[in-house]
């Protein structure tokens, strides 16, 4: 998700030692290699589709995995965020390893913010986002702009372990963000509430049930197109691209008010989408975004592959599509 600043610290902190103890009690068995095989990266699923730690899908009903339900304080951390939670994990970066520089693209990442809570870390671990560089201390709570280029470097011997929660947010969550501290703002006078463990209490929290549209609404479509056009590096073809996109969005709105998500309109939506992609492919090919991504590639991963879907196959398709664009911060 695009944010106004690279990093925001939320006004809450946690007992990292208590979290570390719960995680250590799980043992090494639940840890998995990173799905994309990044060296030095491993993960432990905490919230997954159907609560299945082996299910890497981004779509479907999200539930706590058995691993999470064995960790009461971890569940309390999730609940304290006041958010509707998507797929979430523990992410481990071994010593002298890195998360290489990249920007998150794709439909899933466009609407979700990524919460980081360091559990095991060292002062030398660097988290870079755009031109900002910070160290997230153990127990702190941060979000960052995944739309910008970012990178993580662990140049210590010990592993770094973060709780990473993907979420669209919620009313209470965005209240926390509004009281957060941009990374370059002074800490003086800024209040940070510590969330202490409640022994043995397994907390409940909201999880996603709806995450991929059957047909993208015109309002959502306009939001994505607005982001892509607004973030485009100036180019002589930009006015033509904007005009093509505007014509398509108006056609999509007309179809929506005629069919909504009804199956009888799917072929019309698919045909309109294909014509739009054919029209815009040529003029947009030389264009890039401010985050260095190719403009047309980003359009495809956010809109082209998700504006209209086959409801019967969207969950497995979503997992396959999203693996193309990365998930390693």
């Amino acid at each position: 998700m695009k944010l106004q600043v690279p990093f925001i610290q939320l006004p809450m902190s946690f007992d990292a030692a208590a979290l570390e103890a719960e995680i250590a009690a799980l043992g090494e068995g639940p840890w998995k290699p990173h799905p994309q095989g990044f060296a030095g990266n491993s993960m432990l699923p905490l919230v997954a589709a159907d609560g299945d730690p082996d299910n890497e899908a981004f779509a479907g009903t999200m539930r706590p995995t058995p691993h999470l339900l064995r960790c009461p304080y971890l569940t309390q951390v999730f609940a304290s965020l006041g958010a509707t939670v998507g797929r979430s994990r523990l992410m481990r970066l071994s010593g002298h390893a890195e998360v290489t520089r990249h920007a998150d693209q794709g439909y899933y990442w466009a609407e979700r913010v990524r919460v980081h809570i360091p559990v095991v870390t060292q002062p030398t671990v660097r988290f870079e986002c755009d031109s900002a560089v910070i160290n997230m201390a153990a127990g702190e709570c941060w979000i960052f702009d995944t739309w910008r280029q970012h990178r993580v470097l662990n140049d210590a011997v010990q592993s770094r372990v973060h709780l990473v929660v993907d979420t669209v947010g919620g009313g209470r969550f965005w209240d926390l963000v509004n009281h957060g501290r941009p990374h370059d703002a002074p800490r003086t006078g800024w209040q940070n509430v510590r969330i202490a463990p409640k022994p043995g209490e397994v907390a409940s929290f909201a999880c996603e049930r709806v995450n991929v549209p059957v047909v993208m609404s015109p309002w959502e479509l306009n939001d994505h197109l607005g982001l892509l056009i607004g973030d485009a590096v100036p180019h002589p073809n930009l006015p033509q691209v904007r005009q093509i996109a505007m014509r398509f969005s108006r056609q999509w709105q007309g179809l929506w008010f005629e069919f909504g998500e009804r199956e009888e309109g799917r072929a019309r939506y698919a045909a309109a989408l294909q014509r739009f992609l054919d029209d815009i492919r040529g003029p947009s090919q030389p264009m890039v975004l401010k985050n260095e991504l190719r403009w047309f590639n980003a359009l495809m991963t956010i809109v082209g592959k998700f504006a209209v879907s086959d409801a019967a196959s969207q969950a497995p398709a979503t997992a396959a599509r999203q693996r193309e664009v990365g998930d390693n911060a």
Side-chain angles (χ1 to χ4, degrees), residues 175-195:
D175 286 342
L176 289 170
V177 173
N178 289 337
H179 289 90
R181 183 187 70 86
H183 65 279
D184 55 355
R187 293 177 181 264
T188 305
W190 182 67
Q191 295 184 346
N192 186 336
V193 177
R194 189 164 181 82
I195 309 297

Side-chain angles (χ1 to χ4, degrees), residues 184-222:
D184 55 355
R187 293 177 181 264
T188 305
W190 182 67
Q191 295 184 346
N192 186 336
V193 177
R194 189 164 181 82
I195 309 297
K198 298 176 182 177
E201 179 181 315
V202 177
S204 61
F205 53 90
C207 290
E208 291 183 3
R209 297 182 185 181
V210 178
N211 25 43
V212 177
V214 175
V215 179
M216 194 176 286
S217 77
W219 303 281
E220 182 182 359
L221 178 72
N222 285 337

Side-chain angles (χ1 to χ4, degrees), residues 152-169:
V152 184
L153 178 64
N154 181 12
D155 59 1
V157 175
Q158 300 91 345
S159 293
R160 180 221 76 167
V161 178
H162 280 199
L163 168 60
V164 178
V165 179
D166 290 337
T167 178
V168 294

Side-chain angles (χ1 to χ4, degrees), residues 103-104 146-149 231 233 289-294:
D104 294 346
T146 60
W147 185 244
R148 305 182 197 221
Q149 290 283 334
D231 256 24
V233 173
L289 293 161
K290 293 173 183 176
N291 62 5
E292 304 173 28
L293 299 176
R294 304 295 304 180

Side-chain angles (χ1 to χ4, degrees), residues 30 61 69 99 138 195 277 324:
T61 299
L69 295 177
V99 175
I195 309 297
L277 296 175
E324 298 172 2

